């Protein structure tokens, strides 16, 4: 009898793979080891739980452990940590409440995710300094703010001043969460601009909006230390000291690739596990997916590490299908992302950074345009700003970044689709996109950007 | 010296072509004949003018006649009707305030647009029965309702009960406009469902919403006559008589192709002017574009007549470029369309009708799914319903139709882009589309539809 399909890590990639493999091949034994209590939860919802728009951590769980076990027939073991992998013997060593044991596998999926980077700043261990790496971490922040762990977060907060360290997704979403509770909010970003992957032009519009919303921006500012006796009291920077009561550190994530590395599984340049188009590692029977793994970028054709939810879900599902006997590629990534920044929608896809585009062998040309979100005469419209980048010689679209009060979040998808199709800007310019006065000008902002960019290439 | 570039018709296609040709080749004489007073206006905004959201007809004008003449150097002649074309002599005959004259052309663009179909119903000539074919027509409706021609339409309306005949774009937008003034609204549709090009499943959700909004639907109901003495008093149907004070008839548009036909210019099967990929007719020097012309459908590869604003603008601009010496294809159409129906967004693209797909040589397979507009835990989401159609053998995506309270209008664009790229549903399923809890579930509804449809094809 075949050894089971063993999955390490019970979140997006792991549970997608386990569920799909079991559904497509019900005779296959599927065992999932998850070192924590929680599985299959929406980590992207954590800022909204702190904000109070999501009332309970349970709301973030898509499928409960019981449902995985009873309805889907998966042997899911929470509080079990896989401490080593032996690809030659095809076993994993597991530590659980019952002690340490060996588990043989037929196929193995490493889906160990990523963790919040903890920068080497003095005082990271002070009470009141948080990262948002897990459900319990989010609960701790909410309780520190003085709210119950469940229910509406509408009490008077227990603190007055909040800091966010890092101007990425988490940083901006947490700035919004803190501000919603009426806290004074300081955002510290080491680089000259927030949202580095969105480019400077888009970032500047976001920064303007953050300021309008009362967020005090400290750009180009490295946090040197968290100050306080036991409990956070201030943030030290080269420009001085800022008194704060609570801080969220969101300076990026790092792949949990150590387990794989120790087992001799190859990592890519990014430090995440290298995989082929089916999510296989250098060991035939070992797959990797989700935030711990690389995927192929549709623009460069090269491996990349963009830890996002859809990539994890999609790769997990494809690997489940492959394991069940129907080889399925995990799919390329375009680095498509969107975030809500207070009243703005901010989105990106592809390669927009000049340096990265040049490294990948392109000669990038970019434009930055403003276009209205609705027909000029239809009330309530607002500008959408788009940066669009193409390769000079081939005219190929490389990426775009955009920001506006409405109509941005899903407008980026047509650009992402064009990237997957390898379209030129001339081709994008003649797409038949939707028009009606409440939703777009006749020439959609994406078409206008392509038109202007096309003109610049000629 | 070269004879001028003559354009017949001063709206989207005509003025786009004239502007682009003159900009790219300033030495070229460009003459535009427009039989009416108005040029370059947003006809799609007329229902919102009647509704009162657009306060003045002037707001609908993108560029004034003076600006075309003085800033763009175009010899624009309003109140001039071209009554015949002689493609052999390369002249047009024009009737204007100064009498009848001949105008030679080097290149000619026929951009005569379309008109509202006037069905052969008794009483069409009664006072209170309208079509929405022009700016003056919209003004007449607004005045009939008792509002000033300009300014907010917030007085007490002069009438109580309105009828809309035809459940297409205009019909539904006008139902919204009438309802906004507090009128009792009856919508009559000959077919079993409204919005025929969107398919039955999507139409049913729209119908449910129209009823919720108080619109009385008379589906499968042919209007036999408008009753009244001089002034409209009722609508007669096989089911009886419905008393109404005002009626808007929107049962489709017909291309204004008679001028071309009389000149021996070939029409296509649709009755609109046949064109090649550069918008040329069977006469080398004569182009046609906009609502009077056909364009190639990206799914079928065949000529089609889908009179929409972007198609007209895009083709006009391309022809202007071609005339100025840079041959530019007018671009394929996908039949992408969106409309606001009260609180719903309704969108479509491609071929979703089974009969049309079969005629075009496909074996259509379709799915209809519901998916949430936001992450399940993020407040305020609502279902998006998508019908998606593919060809069984090739797996090629043929089209989609969708409806929901949010996130639909621009979500259709990724599907339209995929159609232009000739993608299969398997390719659509692995697109890297944007995800964040406020804007989408992890698997975007478009991906979910593609996934389910893919499963049905296997």
């Amino acid at each position: 009898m075949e050894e089971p399909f063993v999955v390490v890590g019970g979140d997006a990639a792991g549970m997608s793979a386990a569920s799909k493999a079991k559904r497509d091949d019900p005779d296959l034994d599927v065992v999932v080891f998850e070192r924590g209590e929680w599985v299959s939860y929406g980590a992207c919802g954590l800022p909204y739980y702190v904000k109070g728009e999501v009332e309970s951590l349970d709301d973030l769980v898509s499928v409960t452990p019981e449902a995985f076990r009873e309805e889907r027939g998966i042997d899911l073991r929470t509080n079990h940590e896989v401490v080593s992998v032996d690809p030659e013997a095809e076993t994993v060593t597991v530590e659980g409440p019952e002690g340490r044991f060996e588990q043989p596998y037929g196929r193995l999926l490493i889906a160990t995710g990523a963790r919040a980077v903890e920068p080497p700043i003095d005082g990271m261990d002070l009470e009141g300094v948080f990262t948002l790496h897990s459900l319990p971490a989010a609960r701790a922040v909410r309780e520190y703010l003085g709210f119950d762990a469940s229910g509406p977060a509408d009490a008077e907060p227990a603190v007055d001043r909040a800091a966010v360290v890092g101007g990425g997704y988490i940083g901006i979403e947490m700035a919004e969460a803190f501000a919603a509770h009426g806290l004074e909010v300081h955002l510290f970003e080491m680089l000259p601009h927030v949202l580095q992957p969105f480019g400077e032009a888009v970032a500047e519009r976001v920064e303007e909006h953050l300021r309008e919303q009362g967020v005090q921006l400290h750009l180009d500012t490295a946090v040197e230390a968290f100050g306080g006796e036991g409990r956070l009291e201030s943030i030290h920077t080269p420009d001085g000291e800022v008194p704060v009561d609570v801080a969220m550190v969101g300076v990026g994530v790092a792949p949990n690739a150590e387990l794989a590395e120790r087992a001799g599984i190859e990592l890519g340049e990014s430090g995440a596990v290298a995989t082929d188009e089916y999510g296989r590692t250098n060991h035939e029977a070992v797959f990797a997916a989700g935030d711990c793994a690389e995927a192929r970028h549709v623009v460069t054709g090269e491996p990349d590490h963009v830890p996002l939810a859809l990539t994890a879900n999609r790769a997990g599902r494809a690997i489940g299908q492959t394991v069940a006997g129907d080889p399925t590629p995990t799919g390329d990534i375009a680095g498509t992302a969107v975030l809500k920044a207070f009243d703005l929608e901010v989105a990106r896809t592809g390669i927009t950074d000049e340096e990265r585009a040049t490294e990948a062998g392109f000669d990038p040309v970019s434009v930055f345009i403003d276009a209205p979100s609705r027909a000029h005469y239809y009330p309530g419209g607002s500008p959408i700003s788009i940066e669009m980048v193409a390769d000079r010689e081939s005219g190929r679209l490389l990426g775009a970044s955009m920001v506006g009060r409405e109509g941005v979040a899903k407008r980026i998808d047509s650009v992402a689709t064009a990237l997957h199709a390898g379209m030129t800007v001339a081709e994008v310019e003649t797409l038949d996109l939707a028009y009606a006065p409440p939703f777009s000008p006749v020439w959609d902002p994406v078409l206008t950007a392509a038109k202007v960019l096309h003109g610049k290439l000629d």
Side-chain angles (χ1 to χ4, degrees), chain A:
Chain A
M1 200 186 125
E2 196 190 359
E3 294 293 353
F5 173 40
V6 170
V7 174
V8 188
D11 204 358
M15 295 319 299
S16 295
S19 299
K20 183 65 179 165
K22 188 70 188 175
R23 187 162 62 243
D24 286 7
D25 181 2
D27 294 336
L28 182 69
D29 286 331
V30 178
V31 184
V32 179
F33 296 111
E34 163 56 43
R35 67 178 172 187
E37 296 266 1
W38 301 82
V39 295
S40 190
Y41 64 90
C44 306
L46 294 177
Y48 303 105
Y49 164 73
V50 176
K51 188 178 177 186
E53 285 182 322
V54 174
E55 295 202 358
S56 158
L57 287 177
D58 292 331
D59 296 341
L60 297 179
V61 174
S62 313
V63 185
T64 62
E66 293 64 43
F68 278 117
R69 291 182 190 121
E70 284 153 34
E71 291 159 28
R72 302 198 184 179
I74 293 167
D75 182 1
L76 165 63
R77 308 206 210 153
T78 48
N79 296 310
H80 281 73
E81 182 166 8
V82 173
V83 293
S84 67
V85 176
D86 184 340
E88 306 309 325
E90 302 201 328
T91 58
V92 295
T93 304
V94 186
E95 277 181 6
E98 68 277 47
R100 177 183 282 239
F101 62 95
E102 304 278 296
Q103 169 68 53
Y105 62 79
R107 261 80 50 87
L108 177 71
L109 170 60
I110 296 178
T112 42
R115 60 182 176 277
V117 168
E118 300 219 353
I121 301 176
D122 275 356
M124 272 296 290
D125 55 344
L126 286 174
E127 209 186 322
V129 180
F130 296 92
T131 60
L132 200 67
H133 60 283
S134 68
L135 273 64
R139 183 164 50 204
V141 182
R142 200 162 125 144
E143 287 176 346
Y144 198 82
L145 295 180
F147 306 126
D148 292 336
S150 286
D154 54 6
E156 197 63 27
V159 301
D160 297 322
R161 292 157 306 189
V164 162
V165 180
Y169 307 100
I170 295 288
I172 287 178
E173 288 166 354
M174 284 303 304
E176 181 181 326
F178 286 138
H181 296 305
L183 303 189
E184 178 184 310
V185 181
H186 295 265
L187 188 151
F188 297 87
E189 168 58 54
M190 229 168 67
L191 299 172
H193 292 288
V194 299
L195 292 178
Q196 195 272 334
F198 292 75
E200 188 180 317
V202 162
E204 282 176 352
R205 260 202 77 183
V206 176
E207 289 159 8
E208 192 188 321
H209 183 67
L210 292 173
R211 288 192 185 100
E212 282 166 13
Q213 297 287 332
V215 176
Q216 298 185 41
L217 294 185
H218 306 259
L219 301 177
D220 231 338
T221 304
V223 170
E224 292 174 329
F226 296 102
E229 297 288 329
R231 194 180 160 102
L232 176 69
E233 286 168 15
S234 66
I235 288 198
H236 299 260
T237 77
D239 302 328
E241 198 174 334
V242 180
V244 296
D245 308 310
V246 61
M248 172 58 64
V249 180
V251 297
V253 298
N256 291 325
E258 293 77 4
L259 178 70
E261 192 175 21
R262 285 200 307 272
I265 292 165
E266 275 175 20
L267 306 189
E269 273 182 41
S270 69
V273 182
T275 58
D276 72 5
E277 66 172 315
Y278 293 92
R280 272 203 176 82
T281 67
N282 59 320
H283 288 277
E284 176 77 16
V286 182
F287 297 80
D291 290 359
C292 68
E294 292 187 333
R296 188 173 64 184
H297 198 291
V298 74
V299 175
T300 64
E302 297 294 325
D304 205 343
H305 181 234
V306 186
L308 289 173
L310 174 62
T311 311
N313 277 272
R314 208 175 49 170
R317 185 172 188 273
I319 290 167
Q321 214 161 329
T322 299
V323 164
D326 176 16
T328 305
T330 53
D332 289 346
I333 57 168
T336 313
V338 60
L339 99 149
K340 177 176 178 300
F342 292 83
D343 300 335
L344 291 182
E345 304 179 5
V346 198
R348 73 168 313 287
T349 189
I351 307 286
T352 53
D353 184 71
E354 196 175 318
E355 198 177 311
R356 265 200 77 194
T358 308
E359 273 170 26
F362 300 110
D363 178 5
V365 181
S366 75
V367 292
F368 186 69
I369 63 132
D370 274 341
S373 64
R374 306 183 181 186
H376 67 92
Y377 52 76
Y378 193 90
S382 56
I384 293 178
S385 304
I386 305 187
E387 183 179 16
M388 191 175 273
V389 184
D391 176 48
R392 185 182 301 278
E393 201 181 315
S394 64
R396 185 175 158 195
L397 180 71
L398 300 179
S401 182
M402 55 179 95
V403 57
R405 283 179 178 263
E406 63 171 12
V408 165
K410 287 285 121 183
R411 205 170 233 112
I412 200 71
D413 284 354
S414 50
V415 183
T417 305
L419 290 178
H420 278 270
M423 285 185 181
T424 63
V425 283
E427 287 168 328
V428 174
E429 188 186 338
T430 57
L431 291 173
D432 187 5
L433 302 185
Y435 161 62
F439 307 119
S440 172
V442 175
W443 291 92
D444 188 89
V446 167
L447 302 177
T448 301
K451 197 160 65 170
V452 176
L453 183 50
H454 186 192
K456 205 169 164 184
L457 293 175
D458 282 342

